[in-house]
Amino acid sequence: MNQWGKRDDMLVHETEPFNAEPSPVALARAVITDVDTFYSRNHGPVPDVDPDAWRLTVVGLVDQPLTLSLAELRERFEQHSLLATLQCAGNRRSGFLKVRDIPGEDPWESGATSTARWTGVRLADVLLAAGIRPEAAHVAFAAPDRSELADPPQTYGGSIPAAKALSGETLLAWAMNDEPLTPLHGAPVRVVVPGWIGARSVKWVERITVQAEPSDNYFQATAYRVLPPDADPRQAGPGDGISLGAVALNSAILEPADGAQVTAGKLDVTGYAFAGDDRGVARVDVSVDGGETWSQADLVAQPSPWAWCQWRANVQVEAGQVEIVARAWDTTAALQQESARELWNPKGYVNNSWPRIHVHST
Ligand code: MTE
């Protein structure tokens, strides 16, 4: 266990800020990811917030600005829990690096995604208590962690449209898998925006501003945006590119591990697929001959509309080097794209091309 309560076998991309993901095999173990296994993505030092001194303010386009302590938040509003998958927009970026380099960004594998049971109150209930006004269009979140990576350096923030903020699923959560949030995951309270990129699930939230425009925070206005492949990210400024919100359909092969030695014959292949917001996973196929023929996988568990779907296929592998490929469809019949080449973008977000691994079969 490391200082942040994470397993020793995490793949640590950076220690300051701490950025780490579980191995595919560790992620495959359970539908609900243990806290010690859950990935973590940070842009600055983890703040040490005293839960007794912590206050949440709700300001902006509201009739009744609020200041709430943790006890008031828990007493005034009904408690809700839900299972939701968080997925970072940089998940599977490593697949893009085979196409072209992406300087300054972590090479996340398929573990920048994990699933937990979150408990807290509905953001909608707090916004309604504050008297959110009809002209409200966006709800912005501000946190105290300061990022030197932002241009200019600033504290972390972001926003979501008012409709998503008022949906029942968006939570102000204080517990993860029925335990109080750890400092790394946003204690005492974080936002959880199910089905949206992890960047909007702001940790250590301390101010909510209801406003007419999206947040002008660097992590909303400039980062977490898809630029066209020929754009120069050093020239990109606020408003450039496409802002990321709902998570695009994606999937990964978790077992066997890439590069594993396996026995020729019948082989179990497992993984996850995830489609954000109101889309579900409709079907997953697996190929062991480079996409010539496919076997339909069983969708084993999708424990909530907001969580990933775990799948399993039993395929026949012959002796030798074998490439295993998967492809998923969502409930809008969207199919993942075959290759990362068409999807490559200068900041390396949303690599949702078909996952591929290689095994040696004897
Ligand atoms: N909130 C704050 N305050 N600071 C951050 O750096 N990172 C965001 C989001 N919320 C971040 C944050 C990103 S990009 C992701 S993917 C998720 O937190 C990761 O949440 P986790 O560390 O609990 O897994």
Side-chain angles (χ1 to χ4, degrees), residues 25-41:
V25 174
L27 205 54
R29 287 282 169 266
V31 177
I32 299 177
T33 316
D34 287 338
V35 175
D36 68 359
T37 308
F38 204 102
Y39 83 98
S40 190
R41 172 78 178 104

Side-chain angles (χ1 to χ4, degrees), residues 320-342:
Q321 274 296 117
V322 181
E323 183 185 54
I324 306 178
V325 188
R327 63 181 185 191
W329 283 262
D330 71 18
T331 46
T332 68
L335 170 65
Q336 287 184 263
Q337 287 220 32
E338 180 170 350
S339 132
R341 190 165 294 279
E342 286 84 55

Side-chain angles (χ1 to χ4, degrees), residues 180-221:
L181 284 178
T182 60
L184 185 67
H185 289 294
V189 173
R190 76 177 299 166
V191 186
V192 174
V193 188
W196 277 50
I197 60 161
R200 309 300 175 231
S201 288
V202 174
K203 302 189 274 190
W204 315 290
V205 61
E206 58 183 19
R207 194 175 65 253
I208 296 175
T209 309
V210 181
Q211 52 194 57
E213 304 292 335
S215 165
D216 61 3
N217 185 278
Y218 173 83
F219 294 100
Q220 180 79 39

Side-chain angles (χ1 to χ4, degrees), residues 156-175:
Y156 191 88
S159 64
I160 55 175
K164 184 69 182 173
L166 289 168
S167 70
E169 68 270 10
T170 300
L171 297 184
L172 295 169
W174 56 72

